[in-house]
Amino acid sequence: MSLSKRRKVDTECRVFQEKWTQYYLFTEVNTKRVCLVCNQQVSVLKEYNIRRHYETRHEEKYHHLQGQLRKEKINELLTGLKKQQSAFTRSREVSDAPVKASYLIANELVQASKPYSDGEFVKTCMPKAAEVVCPEKRPAFANISLSRNTVADRVEDLSGDFGWQMNDKIKSFIAFSVAIDEGTDVTDVAQLAIFIRGVDETLTITEEFLELVPMKDTTTANDIFSSLIRVLDKAGVDWSRAVSLATDGAPSMVGRKAGVATKFREKVQATNGGQDFWTFHCILHQEALCCKTLKMDHVMTVVVQTVNFIRARAMHVTGLNADLDQYKDKITRLLQELERRFQIFSELKNEFAFFRSPFTVKASDMPADIQLEAFSVMNLNKTKHRSRLTNGHLNDIVKCVATQDLKPDIDVLVNAKRCQVSGASSSR
């Protein structure tokens, strides 16, 4: 047989023929050939294999059914198969529901900065509530797993989902900037927070937290730079599209010869052909430095306390009048100091004007306290009562809470979990 004829025969054999249902009581379900009588499948789609299965197993019982009787029997078998599949689908949905519920509850726990172990307390409450509200559903609530380890696994999955979504977002960036900040947790471990802000071809701006990296040993410029590069490479950034880096202004960050900002600029310009790359000193840190430089703590303390008071209550506070005449000279000096420190922004006025286009997001609409928020989440979760919280779990928590626009795709996570369970079962 020639090669062309062999290919033609092989192609024909891969197509299920409707007459096989009439002759051999077989049907096709999701590209699988299934016997209507015993539900067995044939691995290779050939008429010989299907006919042999029928003749050796079912012909003796069904060969006498001909004409209308055979059609009625085939319809009966097809109806039974559909019912079986429907029951399997409902069973799968029922088994998926407790897993999805555990993801939703774990997400609520982490958003509220609650310990993982609080899931066990929630678990004890749900059956009691179900017993009163819907007694028939009590077993379903009892199947929701909320042990400490389960909640930790769910949060890790949620964090991983955010990471996958961000990697997809980053691929669409035509330009992006990075911000880094360093803080210390309750166990005196230095934590490097990394943020990214990018814009795609539709001028949609995305600003998200990327990673909280523990700096366990030293925090030299090389250590910080290596950690930063590792995180950005993991996220799949295109280095030629980086345009700026914002740091906290520490010597290891802004050193002219070996600082993180210098190393970062050199790496970027090596890939973008030497185009402009800007480094900034974080506005929040400059504000604090201005306060210290001018020794205006007595002014800034009042301002900060007032702002925190308003933000904490999320309401307008009226009637706050103060006589600031005595501070006019010092405020003037403060403005001069700010103008000096923020000179770089004046130099980039024309570039920034582009983002005032009506086709882009207004700066006033973007969160100004994203860096403060990340370390606030860290401090709320890793307290003296939860000092044994691992760095991996801490990163997962901050990533889940600090996200701005991303939402967890829990249905995808549930489906992946079901596939893992099925794979584990079949391997045993």
Side-chain angles (χ1 to χ4, degrees):
M1 183 185 292
S2 66
L3 182 60
S4 60
K5 289 184 178 179
R6 186 181 307 160
R7 286 178 176 172
K8 182 178 180 181
V9 171
D10 289 343
T11 302
E12 289 176 351
C13 289
R14 293 193 187 99
V15 178
F16 184 84
Q17 300 182 34
E18 293 184 1
K19 65 181 181 180
W20 295 345
T21 302
Q22 178 71 20
Y23 294 163
Y24 312 121
L25 305 183
F26 260 79
T27 188
E28 190 173 38
V29 179
N30 296 329
T31 70
K32 297 178 181 179
R33 284 66 60 186
V34 181
C35 175
L36 291 172
V37 180
C38 63
N39 291 337
Q40 287 195 14
Q41 303 174 15
V42 293
S43 56
V44 179
L45 181 56
K46 291 183 178 180
E47 184 175 7
Y48 170 79
N49 294 338
I50 293 176
R51 183 176 67 247
R52 184 172 181 275
H53 176 90
Y54 172 74
E55 291 175 347
T56 58
R57 300 195 180 198
H58 309 301
E59 185 178 29
E60 183 178 353
K61 183 177 179 180
Y62 293 98
H63 76 281
H64 67 282
L65 296 176
Q66 299 297 328
Q68 186 62 30
L69 290 177
R70 193 171 186 85
K71 290 181 179 179
E72 290 176 357
K73 188 61 180 180
I74 290 174
N75 290 334
E76 178 185 334
L77 293 172
L78 285 170
T79 301
L81 179 62
K82 291 179 180 179
K83 288 182 178 179
Q84 185 179 8
Q85 291 174 331
S86 177
F88 176 77
T89 301
R90 287 196 299 270
S91 175
R92 189 182 67 185
E93 290 174 351
V94 169
S95 63
D96 285 351
V99 179
K100 184 173 183 177
S102 68
Y103 273 111
L104 293 170
I105 294 173
N107 189 46
E108 291 299 321
L109 289 172
V110 75
Q111 295 295 331
S113 297
K114 298 295 183 182
Y116 293 158
S117 56
D118 277 11
E120 297 171 353
F121 172 72
V122 175
K123 176 70 178 285
T124 62
C125 296
M126 288 192 301
K128 297 181 184 297
E131 192 170 346
V132 176
V133 179
C134 48
E136 72 282 1
K137 298 292 185 180
R138 191 178 188 281
F141 284 93
N143 288 334
I144 301 175
S145 180
L146 290 172
S147 66
R148 184 190 183 283
N149 289 339
T150 299
V151 173
D153 289 342
R154 299 292 188 257
V155 174
E156 183 178 356
D157 290 343
L158 293 169
S159 172
D161 182 64
F162 287 129
W164 299 327
Q165 290 186 51
M166 270 308 302
N167 288 356
D168 288 338
K169 286 273 190 182
I170 287 172
K171 291 176 183 177
S172 68
F173 288 168
I174 59 174
F176 72 91
S177 59
V178 178
I180 57 177
D181 198 2
E182 186 183 347
T184 305
D185 63 29
V186 70
T187 59
D188 291 330
V189 174
Q191 301 281 355
L192 179 68
I194 303 174
F195 308 83
I196 191 168
R197 188 181 190 187
V199 59
D200 61 20
E201 291 183 347
T202 65
L203 300 183
T204 298
I205 294 177
T206 300
E207 183 176 73
E208 292 290 350
F209 169 80
L210 267 187
E211 202 87 24
L212 191 66
V213 184
M215 309 295 293
K216 297 180 181 179
D217 299 319
T218 57
T219 56
T220 64
N222 283 332
D223 297 326
I224 297 173
F225 179 71
S226 297
S227 297
L228 176 60
I229 298 304
R230 184 176 66 253
V231 170
L232 293 177
D233 280 340
K234 179 182 175 183
V237 302
D238 181 346
W239 288 99
S240 65
R241 297 180 178 180
V243 295
S244 69
L245 172 70
T247 71
D248 60 10
S252 60
M253 298 284 193
V254 298
R256 291 186 178 181
K257 293 184 178 181
V260 175
T262 300
K263 293 175 178 290
F264 199 90
R265 179 190 289 108
E266 290 173 352
K267 180 174 179 62
V268 171
Q269 291 184 329
T271 60
N272 68 11
Q275 298 179 17
D276 287 339
F277 180 84
W278 303 93
T279 58
F280 300 94
H281 185 176
C282 171
I283 294 176
L284 297 174
H285 290 87
Q286 294 204 53
E287 176 188 277
L289 286 175
C290 287
C291 177
K292 292 180 180 179
T293 301
L294 298 176
K295 297 180 180 180
M296 294 185 64
D297 290 349
H298 59 294
V299 176
M300 295 304 299
T301 298
V302 174
V303 173
V304 171
Q305 287 177 348
T306 303
V307 171
N308 289 340
F309 176 82
I310 296 173
R311 288 182 59 194
R313 287 153 181 79
M315 59 181 290
H316 295 289
V317 179
T318 58
L320 298 178
N321 296 315
D323 183 6
L324 297 179
D325 289 342
Q326 56 180 316
Y327 300 125
K328 282 185 177 179
D329 292 339
K330 292 182 177 180
I331 290 176
T332 300
R333 290 167 53 201
L334 174 61
L335 292 175
Q336 293 172 346
E337 179 69 12
L338 288 171
E339 183 177 356
R340 182 183 68 81
R341 288 187 174 273
F342 298 155
Q343 183 178 356
I344 183 66
F345 294 99
S346 297
E347 296 174 6
L348 293 174
K349 181 178 180 180
N350 292 333
E351 284 80 356
F352 288 159
F354 172 75
F355 289 97
R356 290 199 296 269
S357 166
F359 299 105
T360 62
V361 179
K362 293 182 180 179
S364 59
D365 293 336
M366 302 303 295
D369 58 349
I370 185 171
Q371 295 192 44
L372 290 178
E373 179 182 351
F375 285 115
S376 296
V377 172
M378 179 185 76
N379 293 328
L380 281 173
N381 284 275
K382 194 165 185 180
T383 64
K384 62 180 181 180
H385 302 295
R386 298 180 69 191
S387 59
R388 296 177 65 184
L389 189 68
T390 67
N391 291 315
H393 287 158
L394 181 61
N395 178 52
D396 293 336
I397 291 171
V398 177
K399 190 176 291 185
C400 289
V401 178
T403 180
Q404 300 296 310
D405 300 316
L406 302 180
K407 302 295 180 184
D409 196 337
I410 293 179
D411 289 333
V412 170
L413 295 175
V414 172
N415 184 58
K417 191 67 66 177
R418 183 176 65 245
C419 293
Q420 292 171 8
V421 173
S422 300
S425 301
S426 61
S427 65
R428 288 197 289 268

